[in-house]
Amino acid sequence: MDVAAWLSSSGLERYKQAFEDNAIDFTLLSRLTADDPRDIGITSVGHRRKLLEAIAALQGASGGRGPKSDQPSVAPIRPRDAERRQLTVMFIDLVGSTLLAARS
């Protein structure tokens, strides 16, 4: 199976050119990291997630060995240990609290 046909079957045919421009063939799919789709121009979070899930499904269908090809199998994609989260920090300064703390 070629990447263009696989992208079409996954509903992501609009990214055929990006995969072609970046020389990503079927043997490289299982080695894509979570950052790679963004690097090749897939800006939609939903599309990146859909792409990674489709790659994972390929790996599951082939027994975890990655997409079937004439090339040797490669390691499956591992989830990242770190993730980004929005954080809100609040700082409160009471009038005179610095002087109170200094007296202690």
Coordinates of all heavy atoms in Angstrom, one line a residue:
M1 N 0.9 -1.2 0.0 CA 0.0 0.0 0.0 C 0.9 1.2 0.0 O 1.9 1.3 0.7 CB -0.9 0.0 1.2 CG -1.8 1.2 1.3 SD -2.8 1.3 2.8 CE -4.2 0.4 2.3
D2 N 0.5 2.2 -0.8 CA 1.3 3.5 -0.7 C 0.6 4.5 0.2 O -0.5 4.4 0.6 CB 1.4 4.0 -2.2 CG 0.2 4.6 -2.7 OD1 -0.9 4.0 -2.7 OD2 0.2 5.7 -3.2
V3 N 1.4 5.5 0.6 CA 0.9 6.5 1.5 C -0.3 7.3 1.0 O -1.2 7.5 1.8 CB 2.1 7.5 1.9 CG1 1.6 8.6 2.8 CG2 3.2 6.7 2.6
A4 N -0.3 7.6 -0.3 CA -1.4 8.4 -0.8 C -2.7 7.6 -0.7 O -3.7 8.2 -0.2 CB -1.1 8.7 -2.3
A5 N -2.7 6.3 -1.0 CA -3.9 5.5 -0.8 C -4.3 5.4 0.6 O -5.5 5.4 1.0 CB -3.7 4.1 -1.5
W6 N -3.3 5.2 1.5 CA -3.6 5.1 2.9 C -4.2 6.4 3.5 O -5.2 6.3 4.3 CB -2.3 4.7 3.7 CG -2.5 4.6 5.1 CD1 -3.1 3.7 5.9 CD2 -2.1 5.6 6.1 NE1 -3.1 4.0 7.2 CE2 -2.5 5.2 7.3 CE3 -1.4 6.9 5.9 CZ2 -2.2 5.9 8.5 CZ3 -1.2 7.6 7.1 CH2 -1.6 7.1 8.3
L7 N -3.6 7.5 3.1 CA -4.2 8.8 3.5 C -5.6 9.0 3.1 O -6.5 9.4 3.8 CB -3.3 10.0 3.0 CG -2.0 10.2 3.7 CD1 -1.1 11.1 3.0 CD2 -2.2 10.7 5.2
S8 N -5.9 8.6 1.8 CA -7.3 8.7 1.3 C -8.2 7.8 2.1 O -9.3 8.2 2.4 CB -7.3 8.3 -0.2 OG -6.6 9.2 -1.0
S9 N -7.8 6.6 2.4 CA -8.6 5.7 3.2 C -8.8 6.2 4.6 O -9.8 5.8 5.3 CB -8.1 4.3 3.2 OG -6.9 4.2 3.9
S10 N -8.0 7.0 5.1 CA -8.1 7.6 6.5 C -8.8 8.9 6.5 O -8.9 9.5 7.5 CB -6.7 7.7 7.1 OG -6.0 6.5 7.1
G11 N -9.2 9.4 5.3 CA -9.9 10.7 5.2 C -8.9 11.9 5.3 O -9.3 13.0 5.7
L12 N -7.6 11.7 5.1 CA -6.7 12.7 5.2 C -5.9 13.0 3.9 O -4.8 13.3 3.9 CB -5.6 12.3 6.3 CG -6.2 12.2 7.7 CD1 -5.2 11.5 8.6 CD2 -6.6 13.6 8.3
E13 N -6.7 12.8 2.8 CA -6.1 12.9 1.5 C -5.5 14.3 1.2 O -4.6 14.4 0.4 CB -7.1 12.5 0.4 CG -8.3 13.3 0.3 CD -9.4 12.8 1.3 OE1 -9.3 11.7 1.8 OE2 -10.3 13.5 1.6
R14 N -6.0 15.3 1.9 CA -5.4 16.7 1.7 C -4.0 16.8 2.0 O -3.3 17.8 1.7 CB -6.3 17.7 2.5 CG -6.0 17.6 4.0 CD -6.9 18.6 4.7 NE -8.2 18.0 4.7 CZ -9.3 18.5 5.3 NH1 -9.2 19.7 5.8 NH2 -10.4 17.9 5.2
Y15 N -3.4 15.8 2.8 CA -2.0 15.9 3.2 C -1.1 15.0 2.3 O 0.1 14.9 2.6 CB -1.9 15.5 4.6 CG -2.7 16.4 5.5 CD1 -3.8 15.9 6.2 CD2 -2.3 17.7 5.7 CE1 -4.5 16.8 7.0 CE2 -3.1 18.6 6.5 CZ -4.2 18.1 7.1 OH -4.9 18.9 7.9
K16 N -1.6 14.5 1.2 CA -0.7 13.7 0.3 C 0.5 14.5 -0.1 O 1.6 14.0 -0.1 CB -1.5 13.3 -1.0 CG -2.6 12.3 -0.7 CD -3.3 12.0 -2.0 CE -4.5 11.1 -1.8 NZ -5.3 10.9 -3.0
Q17 N 0.3 15.7 -0.5 CA 1.5 16.5 -1.0 C 2.5 16.8 0.1 O 3.7 16.7 -0.1 CB 1.0 17.9 -1.6 CG 2.0 18.6 -2.3 CD 2.5 17.9 -3.6 OE1 1.7 17.4 -4.3 NE2 3.8 17.8 -3.7
A18 N 2.0 17.0 1.3 CA 2.9 17.2 2.4 C 3.8 16.0 2.7 O 5.0 16.1 2.9 CB 2.2 17.6 3.7
F19 N 3.2 14.8 2.6 CA 3.9 13.6 2.8 C 4.9 13.4 1.7 O 6.0 13.0 1.9 CB 3.0 12.4 2.9 CG 2.4 12.2 4.3 CD1 1.5 13.0 4.9 CD2 2.8 11.1 5.0 CE1 1.0 12.9 6.1 CE2 2.4 10.9 6.3 CZ 1.5 11.8 6.9
E20 N 4.5 13.7 0.4 CA 5.4 13.5 -0.7 C 6.5 14.5 -0.6 O 7.7 14.2 -0.9 CB 4.6 13.8 -2.0 CG 5.4 13.5 -3.3 CD 4.5 13.7 -4.5 OE1 3.4 13.1 -4.5 OE2 4.9 14.4 -5.4
D21 N 6.2 15.8 -0.3 CA 7.3 16.8 -0.2 C 8.3 16.5 0.9 O 9.5 16.9 0.8 CB 6.7 18.2 0.1 CG 5.8 18.7 -1.0 OD1 6.0 18.2 -2.2 OD2 5.1 19.7 -0.8
N22 N 7.9 15.8 1.9 CA 8.8 15.4 3.0 C 9.3 14.0 2.9 O 9.9 13.5 3.9 CB 8.1 15.7 4.3 CG 7.9 17.1 4.6 OD1 8.9 17.8 5.1 ND2 6.8 17.7 4.3
A23 N 9.1 13.4 1.8 CA 9.7 12.0 1.5 C 9.3 11.0 2.6 O 10.0 10.2 3.0 CB 11.2 12.0 1.3
I24 N 8.0 11.1 3.0 CA 7.5 10.1 4.0 C 6.8 9.0 3.2 O 5.7 9.2 2.6 CB 6.5 10.8 5.0 CG1 7.3 11.9 5.8 CG2 6.0 9.7 6.0 CD1 6.4 12.7 6.6
D25 N 7.4 7.9 3.2 CA 6.8 6.7 2.5 C 6.2 5.8 3.5 O 6.2 6.1 4.7 CB 7.8 6.0 1.6 CG 9.0 5.4 2.4 OD1 8.9 5.4 3.6 OD2 10.0 5.0 1.7
F26 N 5.6 4.7 3.1 CA 4.9 3.8 4.0 C 5.8 3.2 5.0 O 5.4 2.9 6.1 CB 4.2 2.7 3.1 CG 3.0 2.2 3.8 CD1 1.8 2.9 4.0 CD2 3.0 0.9 4.3 CE1 0.7 2.4 4.6 CE2 1.8 0.3 4.9 CZ 0.7 1.1 5.1
T27 N 7.1 3.0 4.7 CA 8.0 2.4 5.7 C 8.3 3.4 6.8 O 8.8 2.9 7.9 CB 9.3 2.0 5.0 OG1 9.9 3.1 4.4 CG2 9.0 0.9 3.9
L28 N 8.1 4.7 6.6 CA 8.5 5.6 7.7 C 7.3 6.0 8.6 O 7.5 6.6 9.6 CB 8.9 7.0 7.0 CG 10.3 6.9 6.3 CD1 10.6 8.2 5.7 CD2 11.4 6.5 7.3
L29 N 6.1 5.6 8.2 CA 4.9 5.9 9.0 C 5.0 5.5 10.4 O 4.7 6.3 11.3 CB 3.6 5.3 8.4 CG 3.1 5.9 7.2 CD1 1.8 5.1 6.7 CD2 2.7 7.4 7.4
S30 N 5.5 4.3 10.7 CA 5.5 3.8 12.1 C 6.6 4.6 12.9 O 6.6 4.4 14.1 CB 5.8 2.3 12.1 OG 7.0 2.0 11.6
R31 N 7.4 5.3 12.3 CA 8.5 6.1 13.0 C 8.1 7.5 13.3 O 8.9 8.2 13.9 CB 9.8 6.0 12.3 CG 10.4 4.6 12.3 CD 11.8 4.6 11.8 NE 11.8 3.9 10.5 CZ 12.8 3.9 9.7 NH1 13.9 4.6 9.9 NH2 12.7 3.2 8.6
L32 N 7.0 8.0 12.8 CA 6.6 9.3 13.0 C 6.3 9.6 14.5 O 5.7 8.7 15.1 CB 5.3 9.7 12.2 CG 5.5 9.7 10.7 CD1 4.1 10.1 10.0 CD2 6.5 10.7 10.3
T33 N 6.8 10.7 15.0 CA 6.5 11.0 16.4 C 5.3 12.0 16.4 O 4.8 12.4 15.4 CB 7.7 11.8 17.0 OG1 7.9 13.0 16.3 CG2 9.0 10.9 16.9
A34 N 4.9 12.3 17.6 CA 3.7 13.2 17.8 C 4.0 14.6 17.2 O 3.1 15.4 16.9 CB 3.4 13.3 19.2
D35 N 5.3 15.0 17.1 CA 5.7 16.3 16.6 C 5.8 16.4 15.1 O 5.7 17.4 14.5 CB 7.0 16.8 17.2 CG 6.9 17.1 18.7 OD1 5.8 17.5 19.1 OD2 7.9 16.9 19.4
D36 N 6.1 15.2 14.5 CA 6.3 15.2 13.0 C 5.1 15.7 12.2 O 5.4 16.5 11.3 CB 6.7 13.8 12.6 CG 8.1 13.4 13.1 OD1 8.9 14.3 13.4 OD2 8.3 12.2 13.2
P37 N 3.9 15.4 12.5 CA 2.8 15.9 11.6 C 2.8 17.5 11.6 O 2.6 18.1 10.6 CB 1.5 15.3 12.3 CG 2.0 14.1 12.9 CD 3.4 14.4 13.4
R38 N 3.0 18.1 12.8 CA 3.1 19.5 12.8 C 4.2 20.1 12.0 O 4.1 21.1 11.3 CB 3.2 20.0 14.3 CG 3.2 21.5 14.4 CD 3.3 22.0 15.8 NE 2.4 21.4 16.7 CZ 2.8 20.7 17.8 NH1 4.0 20.7 18.2 NH2 1.9 20.2 18.6
D39 N 5.4 19.4 12.1 CA 6.6 19.8 11.3 C 6.3 19.8 9.8 O 7.0 20.5 9.1 CB 7.8 19.0 11.7 CG 8.2 19.2 13.1 OD1 7.8 20.2 13.7 OD2 9.0 18.3 13.6
I40 N 5.5 18.9 9.3 CA 5.2 18.8 7.9 C 4.0 19.6 7.4 O 3.7 19.6 6.3 CB 5.1 17.3 7.4 CG1 3.9 16.7 7.9 CG2 6.3 16.5 7.7 CD1 3.5 15.3 7.3
G41 N 3.4 20.3 8.4 CA 2.4 21.3 8.0 C 1.0 20.9 8.4 O 0.0 21.5 8.0
I42 N 0.8 19.8 9.1 CA -0.5 19.5 9.6 C -0.8 20.3 10.9 O -0.4 19.9 11.9 CB -0.7 17.9 9.8 CG1 -0.3 17.2 8.5 CG2 -2.1 17.6 10.3 CD1 -0.3 15.7 8.6
T43 N -1.5 21.4 10.7 CA -1.7 22.3 11.8 C -2.9 21.9 12.7 O -3.0 22.3 13.9 CB -1.8 23.7 11.3 OG1 -2.9 23.8 10.4 CG2 -0.6 24.2 10.6
S44 N -3.9 21.3 12.1 CA -5.1 20.9 12.9 C -4.8 19.8 13.9 O -4.3 18.8 13.6 CB -6.2 20.4 11.9 OG -7.2 19.8 12.6
V45 N -5.1 20.1 15.2 CA -4.9 19.1 16.2 C -5.7 17.9 16.0 O -5.2 16.8 16.1 CB -5.3 19.7 17.6 CG1 -5.2 18.7 18.7 CG2 -4.4 20.9 18.0
G46 N -7.0 18.1 15.5 CA -7.8 16.9 15.2 C -7.2 16.0 14.1 O -7.2 14.8 14.2
H47 N -6.7 16.6 13.1 CA -6.1 15.9 12.0 C -4.8 15.2 12.4 O -4.5 14.0 12.0 CB -5.8 16.8 10.8 CG -7.0 17.2 10.1 ND1 -7.0 18.2 9.1 CD2 -8.3 16.8 10.2 CE1 -8.2 18.4 8.6 NE2 -9.1 17.6 9.3
R48 N -4.0 15.9 13.3 CA -2.8 15.2 13.8 C -3.2 14.0 14.6 O -2.5 12.9 14.5 CB -1.9 16.2 14.6 CG -1.3 17.2 13.8 CD -0.2 18.0 14.5 NE -0.5 18.5 15.8 CZ -0.9 19.7 16.0 NH1 -1.0 20.6 15.1 NH2 -1.2 20.1 17.3
R49 N -4.2 14.1 15.5 CA -4.6 13.0 16.3 C -5.1 11.9 15.5 O -4.8 10.7 15.7 CB -5.7 13.5 17.3 CG -6.3 12.5 18.2 CD -5.4 11.7 19.1 NE -4.4 12.5 19.8 CZ -3.3 12.1 20.3 NH1 -2.9 10.8 20.1 NH2 -2.5 12.9 20.9
K50 N -5.9 12.2 14.5 CA -6.5 11.2 13.6 C -5.4 10.5 12.8 O -5.4 9.3 12.7 CB -7.4 11.9 12.6 CG -8.2 10.9 11.7 CD -9.3 11.7 10.9 CE -10.1 10.7 10.1 NZ -11.1 11.4 9.3
L51 N -4.4 11.2 12.4 CA -3.2 10.6 11.7 C -2.5 9.6 12.6 O -2.2 8.5 12.3 CB -2.3 11.7 11.2 CG -1.0 11.2 10.6 CD1 -1.3 10.5 9.3 CD2 0.0 12.3 10.4
L52 N -2.2 10.1 13.9 CA -1.5 9.2 14.8 C -2.3 8.0 15.2 O -1.8 6.9 15.3 CB -1.1 10.0 16.1 CG 0.0 11.1 15.8 CD1 0.2 11.9 17.1 CD2 1.3 10.5 15.3
E53 N -3.6 8.1 15.3 CA -4.5 7.0 15.6 C -4.5 6.0 14.4 O -4.6 4.8 14.6 CB -5.9 7.5 16.0 CG -5.9 8.1 17.3 CD -7.3 8.7 17.7 OE1 -8.2 8.7 16.8 OE2 -7.4 9.3 18.8
A54 N -4.5 6.5 13.2 CA -4.5 5.7 12.0 C -3.2 4.9 11.9 O -3.2 3.7 11.6 CB -4.7 6.5 10.8
I55 N -2.1 5.5 12.3 CA -0.8 4.8 12.3 C -0.8 3.8 13.4 O -0.4 2.6 13.1 CB 0.3 5.8 12.5 CG1 0.5 6.8 11.3 CG2 1.6 5.1 12.8 CD1 1.4 7.9 11.5
A56 N -1.4 4.1 14.5 CA -1.4 3.1 15.6 C -2.3 1.9 15.2 O -2.0 0.7 15.5 CB -2.0 3.7 16.9
A57 N -3.4 2.2 14.4 CA -4.2 1.1 14.0 C -3.5 0.2 13.0 O -3.7 -1.0 13.0 CB -5.5 1.7 13.3
L58 N -2.7 0.8 12.1 CA -1.8 0.0 11.2 C -0.9 -0.9 12.0 O -0.7 -2.1 11.6 CB -1.0 0.9 10.4 CG -1.6 1.5 9.1 CD1 -0.6 2.5 8.5 CD2 -2.0 0.4 8.1
Q59 N -0.3 -0.4 13.1 CA 0.6 -1.2 13.9 C -0.1 -2.3 14.6 O 0.4 -3.4 14.6 CB 1.3 -0.3 14.9 CG 2.3 0.7 14.2 CD 2.8 1.7 15.2 OE1 2.3 2.0 16.2 NE2 4.0 2.3 14.8
G60 N -1.3 -2.0 15.0 CA -2.1 -3.1 15.7 C -2.5 -4.2 14.7 O -2.5 -5.3 15.0
A61 N -2.9 -3.8 13.5 CA -3.3 -4.7 12.5 C -2.2 -5.6 12.0 O -2.4 -6.7 11.6 CB -3.9 -4.0 11.3
S62 N -0.9 -5.1 12.1 CA 0.2 -5.9 11.7 C 0.9 -6.5 12.9 O 2.1 -6.9 12.8 CB 1.2 -5.1 10.9 OG 1.7 -4.0 11.7
G63 N 0.2 -6.7 14.0 CA 0.9 -7.3 15.2 C 1.9 -6.4 15.9 O 2.8 -6.9 16.5
G64 N 1.8 -5.1 15.8 CA 2.7 -4.2 16.4 C 4.0 -4.0 15.7 O 4.9 -3.4 16.2
R65 N 4.1 -4.6 14.5 CA 5.4 -4.5 13.8 C 5.4 -3.3 12.9 O 6.4 -3.1 12.1 CB 5.6 -5.8 13.0 CG 5.8 -7.0 13.8 CD 6.1 -8.2 13.0 NE 5.1 -8.4 11.9 CZ 4.0 -9.1 12.0 NH1 3.6 -9.6 13.2 NH2 3.1 -9.2 11.0
G66 N 4.4 -2.5 12.8 CA 4.4 -1.3 11.9 C 3.8 -1.7 10.6 O 3.3 -2.8 10.4
P67 N 3.7 -0.8 9.7 CA 3.0 -1.1 8.4 C 3.8 -2.2 7.6 O 5.0 -2.3 7.7 CB 3.2 0.2 7.6 CG 3.4 1.3 8.7 CD 4.1 0.6 9.8
K68 N 3.0 -3.0 7.0 CA 3.6 -4.1 6.2 C 4.4 -3.6 5.0 O 3.9 -2.8 4.3 CB 2.5 -5.1 5.8 CG 1.9 -5.9 6.9 CD 0.9 -6.8 6.4 CE 0.2 -7.5 7.6 NZ -0.8 -8.4 7.2
S69 N 5.6 -4.1 4.8 CA 6.3 -3.7 3.7 C 7.5 -4.7 3.5 O 7.6 -5.6 4.3 CB 6.9 -2.3 3.9 OG 7.9 -2.3 4.9
D70 N 8.3 -4.4 2.5 CA 9.5 -5.3 2.3 C 10.6 -4.9 3.2 O 11.6 -5.6 3.3 CB 9.9 -5.1 0.8 CG 8.9 -5.7 -0.2 OD1 8.1 -6.5 0.2 OD2 8.9 -5.2 -1.3
Q71 N 10.5 -3.7 3.9 CA 11.5 -3.3 4.8 C 11.4 -3.9 6.1 O 10.3 -4.4 6.5 CB 11.4 -1.7 4.9 CG 11.5 -1.0 3.7 CD 12.9 -1.1 3.0 OE1 13.8 -1.1 3.7 NE2 12.9 -1.1 1.7
P72 N 12.5 -4.0 6.9 CA 12.4 -4.6 8.2 C 11.4 -3.7 9.1 O 11.3 -2.5 8.9 CB 13.8 -4.5 8.8 CG 14.6 -3.8 7.8 CD 13.8 -3.6 6.6
S73 N 10.8 -4.4 10.1 CA 9.9 -3.7 11.0 C 10.6 -2.7 11.9 O 11.8 -2.9 12.1 CB 9.1 -4.7 11.8 OG 9.9 -5.4 12.6
V74 N 9.9 -1.7 12.3 CA 10.5 -0.7 13.2 C 9.7 -0.6 14.5 O 8.7 -1.1 14.6 CB 10.6 0.7 12.5 CG1 11.5 0.7 11.3 CG2 9.2 1.1 12.1
A75 N 10.3 0.1 15.5 CA 9.7 0.2 16.8 C 8.4 1.0 16.7 O 8.3 2.0 15.9 CB 10.6 0.9 17.7
P76 N 7.3 0.6 17.4 CA 6.1 1.4 17.4 C 6.2 2.7 18.0 O 7.1 3.0 18.8 CB 5.1 0.5 18.2 CG 6.0 -0.3 19.1 CD 7.3 -0.5 18.3
I77 N 5.3 3.6 17.7 CA 5.3 5.0 18.4 C 4.9 4.8 19.8 O 4.0 4.1 20.2 CB 4.2 5.9 17.7 CG1 4.6 6.1 16.2 CG2 4.1 7.2 18.4 CD1 3.6 6.9 15.5
R78 N 5.7 5.5 20.7 CA 5.5 5.4 22.1 C 4.8 6.8 22.5 O 5.2 7.8 22.0 CB 6.7 5.2 22.9 CG 7.4 3.9 22.7 CD 8.6 3.6 23.6 NE 9.1 4.8 24.2 CZ 10.4 5.2 24.1 NH1 11.2 4.4 23.5 NH2 10.8 6.3 24.7
P79 N 3.9 6.7 23.4 CA 3.3 8.0 23.9 C 4.4 8.8 24.6 O 5.3 8.2 25.3 CB 2.2 7.6 24.9 CG 2.4 6.2 25.2 CD 3.3 5.6 24.1
R80 N 4.3 10.1 24.5 CA 5.3 11.0 25.2 C 5.0 11.0 26.7 O 3.8 10.9 27.1 CB 5.2 12.4 24.6 CG 5.7 12.3 23.2 CD 5.7 13.6 22.5 NE 5.2 14.8 23.2 CZ 5.1 16.0 22.7 NH1 5.6 16.2 21.5 NH2 4.6 17.0 23.4
D81 N 6.0 11.1 27.5 CA 5.9 11.2 28.9 C 5.4 12.5 29.4 O 4.7 12.6 30.4 CB 7.2 10.8 29.7 CG 7.6 9.4 29.4 OD1 6.7 8.6 29.2 OD2 8.8 9.2 29.4
A82 N 5.7 13.6 28.7 CA 5.4 14.9 29.1 C 4.2 15.4 28.3 O 4.0 14.9 27.2 CB 6.6 15.8 28.9
E83 N 3.5 16.4 28.8 CA 2.4 17.0 28.1 C 2.3 18.4 28.5 O 2.7 18.8 29.6 CB 1.1 16.3 28.3 CG 0.6 16.3 29.7 CD -0.7 15.5 29.9 OE1 -0.7 14.3 29.6 OE2 -1.7 16.1 30.3
R84 N 1.7 19.3 27.6 CA 1.5 20.7 27.9 C 0.2 20.8 28.6 O -0.8 20.2 28.2 CB 1.6 21.5 26.7 CG 3.0 21.6 26.1 CD 2.9 22.6 24.9 NE 4.2 22.7 24.4 CZ 5.0 23.7 24.5 NH1 4.6 24.8 25.2 NH2 6.2 23.8 24.0
R85 N 0.1 21.7 29.6 CA -1.1 22.0 30.2 C -1.1 23.5 30.6 O -0.1 24.1 30.8 CB -1.3 21.2 31.5 CG -1.5 19.8 31.3 CD -2.0 19.1 32.5 NE -2.3 17.7 32.1 CZ -3.2 17.0 32.7 NH1 -4.0 17.6 33.6 NH2 -3.4 15.8 32.4
Q86 N -2.3 24.1 30.5 CA -2.4 25.5 30.9 C -2.4 25.6 32.4 O -3.0 24.8 33.1 CB -3.7 26.1 30.3 CG -3.7 27.6 30.6 CD -4.9 28.2 29.9 OE1 -5.8 27.5 29.3 NE2 -5.0 29.5 30.0
L87 N -1.7 26.6 32.9 CA -1.5 26.7 34.3 C -1.8 28.2 34.7 O -1.3 29.1 34.0 CB -0.1 26.3 34.8 CG 0.3 26.5 36.2 CD1 -0.5 25.5 37.1 CD2 1.8 26.3 36.4
T88 N -2.5 28.4 35.7 CA -2.7 29.8 36.2 C -2.1 29.9 37.6 O -2.3 29.1 38.4 CB -4.3 30.1 36.3 OG1 -4.9 29.9 35.0 CG2 -4.5 31.5 36.8
V89 N -1.3 31.0 37.7 CA -0.6 31.2 39.0 C -1.1 32.6 39.5 O -1.2 33.5 38.8 CB 0.9 31.3 38.8 CG1 1.6 31.6 40.1 CG2 1.4 30.0 38.2
M90 N -1.4 32.6 40.8 CA -1.9 33.8 41.4 C -0.9 34.2 42.6 O -0.5 33.4 43.3 CB -3.3 33.5 42.0 CG -4.0 34.7 42.6 SD -5.6 34.2 43.0 CE -6.2 35.7 43.8
F91 N -0.6 35.5 42.6 CA 0.3 36.0 43.6 C -0.4 37.1 44.4 O -1.1 37.9 43.8 CB 1.6 36.5 43.0 CG 2.5 37.2 43.9 CD1 3.3 36.4 44.7 CD2 2.5 38.5 44.1 CE1 4.2 36.9 45.6 CE2 3.4 39.1 45.0 CZ 4.2 38.3 45.8
I92 N -0.4 37.0 45.7 CA -1.1 38.0 46.5 C -0.1 38.6 47.5 O 0.7 37.9 48.1 CB -2.2 37.3 47.3 CG1 -3.2 36.7 46.4 CG2 -2.8 38.3 48.3 CD1 -4.3 35.9 47.1
D93 N -0.1 39.9 47.5 CA 0.8 40.6 48.4 C 0.0 41.5 49.3 O -0.7 42.4 48.9 CB 1.8 41.5 47.6 CG 2.8 42.2 48.5 OD1 3.0 41.7 49.7 OD2 3.4 43.1 48.1
L94 N -0.1 41.2 50.6 CA -0.8 42.0 51.6 C 0.0 43.2 52.0 O 1.2 43.0 52.2 CB -1.2 41.1 52.8 CG -2.0 39.9 52.5 CD1 -2.2 39.1 53.8 CD2 -3.4 40.3 51.9
V95 N -0.6 44.3 52.1 CA 0.0 45.5 52.5 C 0.7 45.3 53.9 O 0.0 44.8 54.8 CB -0.9 46.7 52.5 CG1 -0.2 47.9 53.1 CG2 -1.5 46.9 51.1
G96 N 2.0 45.5 54.0 CA 2.7 45.4 55.3 C 3.1 44.0 55.6 O 3.7 43.7 56.7
S97 N 2.8 43.0 54.7 CA 3.2 41.6 55.1 C 4.7 41.4 55.1 O 5.2 40.6 55.8 CB 2.5 40.6 54.1 OG 3.0 40.8 52.8
T98 N 5.4 42.1 54.2 CA 6.9 42.0 54.2 C 7.5 42.5 55.5 O 8.4 41.8 56.1 CB 7.4 42.8 53.0 OG1 6.8 42.4 51.8 CG2 8.9 42.6 52.9
L99 N 7.0 43.5 56.1 CA 7.5 44.0 57.4 C 7.2 43.0 58.5 O 8.0 42.8 59.3 CB 6.9 45.4 57.7 CG 7.4 46.6 56.8 CD1 6.6 47.8 57.2 CD2 8.9 46.8 57.0
L100 N 6.0 42.5 58.4 CA 5.6 41.5 59.4 C 6.5 40.2 59.4 O 6.9 39.7 60.4 CB 4.1 41.1 59.3 CG 3.1 42.1 59.7 CD1 1.7 41.6 59.2 CD2 3.1 42.4 61.2
A101 N 6.8 39.8 58.2 CA 7.6 38.6 58.0 C 9.0 38.9 58.4 O 9.7 38.0 59.0 CB 7.6 38.2 56.5
A102 N 9.5 40.1 58.2 CA 10.9 40.5 58.6 C 11.1 40.5 60.1 O 12.1 40.3 60.6 CB 11.2 41.8 57.9
R103 N 10.0 40.9 60.8 CA 10.1 40.9 62.3 C 10.2 39.6 63.0 O 10.7 39.5 64.1 CB 8.9 41.6 62.9 CG 8.9 43.1 62.7 CD 7.9 43.8 63.5 NE 7.0 44.5 62.7 CZ 5.8 45.0 63.0 NH1 5.3 44.7 64.2 NH2 5.1 45.6 62.2
S104 N 9.8 38.6 62.3 CA 9.8 37.2 63.0 C 11.1 36.6 63.1 O 12.1 36.8 62.7 CB 9.0 36.2 62.1 OG 7.6 36.7 62.1

